[in-house]
Every structure is written in C-alpha cells, then in structure tokens.
C-alpha cells in the first residue's frame, strides 16, 4: 500500500483552476472521424454551498460558525467536472434555473471547466436546486431543496455522438436516451444509488442491459446479487453486464471483465479524508478515462482509486475533483517518501508516461476558495 502523504491542500479548487488541461489521455487514439465528445452526461445540477472548518456537528438550538465556505456546481456537475479535469471532452445536458445561482453554475461549468453545455437549457421561472453541505470529522451532513423542472422542459431525446456516457440507473426507471446512445456505439457506464424500495432487484434496472460497465459499491453489489462477499458479487454481476467494478471502501476496488476473463484488485491509498463528497463520481471518471484510453484493467482501477483519494483530501464535490497537476504532484511526492514500498510504487508506474515535471506545482497544493457575488476584474 502507498504510504500516507500530506493532504493536497485545505482549500477547495477555484473556478477555472483546472481550465488548462495539460494531459490528453486519449491523444494516441484520436482520429479525424471520432465522435465530437468523449463523454456525455445528463442529470440535475445543484448549487452546492459547503461549510468547512466545523469541529463537530451543529447542536440543536445553537449557532455554529464555520471557518471556511465554498460554492460550486454540484449534482451531475461533480461527474462532469471530474471528467473534464482529466482531459476528456465532456458534454452535459441539464436544466439550469434563470436565477443568479443558475447563471453562476452555467458560467462555472462552461467557461471555468470547458464543459459543452449546448444540450443544456435555461428554464424560465425555475429556481436552481440547492444543497448545503457541512463537513466535519471526515463525514458530511447535507440539506437540499429543489423541484423537478417543468414537464415542458424535457431533456434532449437524442444525445450527441460520444465515445462514452455515464448513466445513473434507478429501479423501475428507464431512460430512452441510454438505449439511443448505446445503439450509436456509445459505451455506457452505469452507476447506481441506494435502493429505497428495498427490493434490490437487478431486473428492475432495465437499462443495465445497455451498459458496458456497472460500478456499484460493495453493499449495493451484494444486495443486488445476494452474494456474501463483494468479490463474488462482482462475478455474479457479469451475468448481466460485461464489466463489473465493485468499490470496497478502505479496501480499494475489485473488477471482473467477462469478455476477457480478467480480474483485478487494487488496494486503497491511505489518505487523510476531509470530505467524501463526490468521491464516487471522481472514481467513475477516473475509470472511464482509463477505459477509453485502453489501459489494462488494473491500471484503470489504480487510477480511479488515486483520483478518488486525491478528491477526499479536499472539501466539496466538483471543487475537489483533481486535475493532472495534482496527479503529477502526488506521483512526485510519493516517490520521495522514505521507505516507500517498491511494489506499491510499481503499481502506479504507468503514471510516469503520462505526467512530466512541467505539470508539477509545489506540494502541498493550495487552491482558491470560490464564492458567488464578486465582480469580475476588467
């Protein structure tokens, strides 16, 4: 296991801090007739307001003061930002409110992160969904408010051509765009949330049949398959989807590829976790990037775990998604740790061909804290 290193900085990433992508992981594979986008997403964008520097949970009947605060687009924006910061050309279809929050989120994603919002739309008279998150003791507490966009404001029926798409699957819900994307050759990566119905019926995930990969956590995988361990659950899932990836929390991740018969398991990286918000999205983004780049399965798992580990050392969802500067700085840092395991370092040796000294910034990294309302400089 890679030894613990200093956290990547206590302040979240400012808007635009990752706008210049220094690494294109798909560069060797790009061709003139490629789809215009690497990844397509659709979902709900929230405005996230994150309070940091709380020593404990707020106490009923008292007022708590936080030492820090950040604002950023959240919800599906967490995934979109994580993908874009890893160098993938990302397109997002979402509804945005016509309030200041919606304007802020649109600007942060389009101009700050370089995400294509041409399939998105602004909904007149609809206010932006909001989540307030409080981070303390390595955990988070959230309060959210929002409404569904009006039915006359549907998501685009025909998704743009893309190499891949990330779909959030829900029991009993079928999204026509998923089948449409898969029929065009788009590789669909499915993730899933907690089944509030308690049924845990894989047959209810009707769009799973269109997915190339399914990425649940260990508890979800075991409940859906009835297996008594997450590794057995991963193998059982390959009866329904070609590639199963099960995250194991502090134990890392395990994957099975039915098409090749290949399995891989990579341990987690030991870090000081400040806020887990968005870590699952970052893991999926890292795995998608490695898959589209045609890396070996174990390298994809290692990279996904690394990006997730870097993200939990920062506060916020999209704020915490790492870019290539963070990855390069981490790679240089861990090589300098005295007594570092040579075997553990070898697991991440593929990074040497991706990052260079020009990418590295001084460690620990410091990021600007964004908020709403400051005037732009002329």
């Amino acid at each position: 296991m890679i030894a613990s290193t200093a956290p990547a900085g206590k302040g979240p990433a400012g808007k635009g801090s990752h706008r210049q992508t220094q690494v294109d992981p798909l560069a060797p594979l790009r061709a003139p007739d490629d789809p215009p986008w690497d990844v397509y997403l659709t979902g709900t964008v929230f405005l996230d307001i994150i309070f940091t520097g709380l020593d404990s949970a707020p106490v009923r009947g008292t007022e708590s003061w936080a030492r820090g605060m950040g604002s950023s687009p959240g919800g599906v924006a967490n995934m979109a930002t994580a993908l874009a910061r890893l160098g993938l050309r990302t397109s997002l279809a979402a509804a945005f409110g016509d309030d200041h929050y919606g304007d802020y989120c649109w600007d942060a994603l389009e101009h700050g992160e370089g995400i294509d919002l041409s399939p998105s739309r602004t909904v007149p008279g609809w206010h932006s969904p909001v989540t307030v998150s409080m981070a303390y003791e390595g955990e988070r507490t959230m309060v959210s408010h929002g409404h569904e966009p009006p039915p006359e404001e549907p998501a685009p029926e025909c998704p743009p051509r893309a190499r891949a798409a990330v779909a959030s699957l829900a029991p009993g819900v079928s999204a026509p765009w998923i089948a449409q994307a898969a029929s065009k050759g788009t590789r669909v990566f499915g993730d899933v949330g907690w089944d509030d119905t308690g049924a845990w019926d894989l047959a209810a995930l009707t769009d799973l049949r269109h997915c190339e990969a399914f990425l649940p956590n260990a508890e979800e995988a075991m409940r859906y398959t009835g297996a008594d361990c997450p590794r057995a659950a991963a193998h059982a899932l390959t009866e329904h989807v070609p590639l199963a990836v099960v995250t194991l929390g502090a134990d890392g991740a395990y994957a099975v590829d039915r098409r090749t018969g290949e399995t891989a398991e990579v341990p987690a990286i030991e870090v000081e976790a400040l806020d887990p918000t968005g870590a699952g999205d970052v893991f999926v983004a890292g795995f998608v990037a490695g898959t589209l780049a045609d890396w070996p399965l174990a390298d994809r798992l290692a990279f996904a775990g690394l990006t997730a580990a870097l993200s939990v050392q920062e506060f916020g969802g999209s704020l915490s998604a790492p870019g290539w500067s963070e990855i390069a700085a981490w790679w240089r840092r861990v090589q300098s740790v005295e007594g570092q395991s040579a075997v553990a370092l070898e697991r991440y040796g593929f990074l040497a061909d991706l990052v260079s000294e020009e990418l590295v910034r001084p460690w620990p990294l410091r990021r600007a804290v964004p908020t709403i309302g400051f005037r732009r400089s002329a």
Side-chain angles (χ1 to χ4, degrees), residues 1 22 44 84 110-112 124 189 191 251 255 259 315 344 349 372:
M1 180 176 287
Q22 304 100 329
T44 302
E110 183 177 56
H111 298 109
F189 295 74
D191 66 4
D251 292 328
R259 295 161 300 189
F315 290 108
I372 300 171

Side-chain angles (χ1 to χ4, degrees), residues 106-374:
W106 187 294
D107 182 67
L109 294 173
E110 183 177 56
H111 298 109
E113 304 294 349
I115 295 167
D116 167 57
L117 297 181
S118 58
S120 295
R121 70 276 188 208
T122 298
V123 181
W126 182 62
H127 72 78
S128 301
V130 176
T131 292
V132 175
S133 176
M134 293 163 282
Y136 52 87
E137 299 174 355
E139 294 293 340
R140 58 183 172 164
T141 298
M142 299 183 291
V143 177
S144 297
H145 174 72
H147 303 280
E148 290 291 329
E152 63 269 21
E153 295 290 343
E157 293 183 358
C158 298
R161 288 181 60 235
R163 295 174 188 264
V166 180
S168 182
L169 308 181
V173 178
S174 180
W177 74 264
I178 297 175
Q180 293 169 5
S183 69
K184 298 177 183 178
T186 297
R187 305 164 72 176
V188 181
F189 295 74
D191 66 4
V192 70
W194 190 257
D195 184 359
D196 291 327
T197 71
W200 298 101
D201 181 9
L202 272 175
L205 300 179
T206 55
D207 287 325
L208 185 60
R209 66 184 184 273
H210 303 301
C211 295
E212 171 176 324
F214 185 44
L215 298 96
N217 64 33
E219 185 66 22
E220 293 160 350
M222 289 188 291
R223 286 179 179 265
Y224 270 118
T225 61
D228 57 3
C229 81
R231 293 161 187 81
H235 285 273
L237 286 172
T238 59
E239 298 177 9
H240 305 271
V241 66
L243 177 58
V245 181
V246 177
T247 54
L248 309 174
D251 292 328
Y254 183 80
V256 183
D257 190 329
R258 182 185 70 204
R259 295 161 300 189
T260 64
E262 185 180 8
T263 64
E265 183 168 0
V266 174
I269 297 173
E270 292 181 348
V271 294
E272 177 190 351
L274 299 181
D275 182 5
T277 305
D281 294 325
V282 173
F283 181 93
V284 173
F287 189 82
V288 170
T291 300
L292 294 183
D294 202 25
W295 296 349
L297 184 57
D299 289 355
R300 285 181 262 165
L301 278 188
F303 185 70
L306 168 60
T307 54
L310 292 176
S311 78
V312 302
Q313 297 179 87
E314 300 287 348
F315 290 108
S318 64
L319 293 175
S320 67
W324 285 100
S325 291
E326 284 89 348
I327 294 167
W330 176 86
W331 177 234
R332 184 173 73 171
R333 171 72 176 179
V334 296
Q335 292 179 86
S336 68
V337 174
E338 186 176 351
Q340 189 65 271
S341 166
V343 174
L345 284 176
E346 185 179 356
R347 171 62 274 154
Y348 297 89
F350 64 94
L351 292 175
D353 295 327
L354 291 166
V355 300
S356 64
E357 283 298 312
E358 288 74 20
L359 290 175
V360 178
R361 293 183 291 168
W363 187 284
L365 302 176
R366 289 291 180 261
R367 300 173 173 181
V369 179
T371 191
I372 300 171
F374 287 115

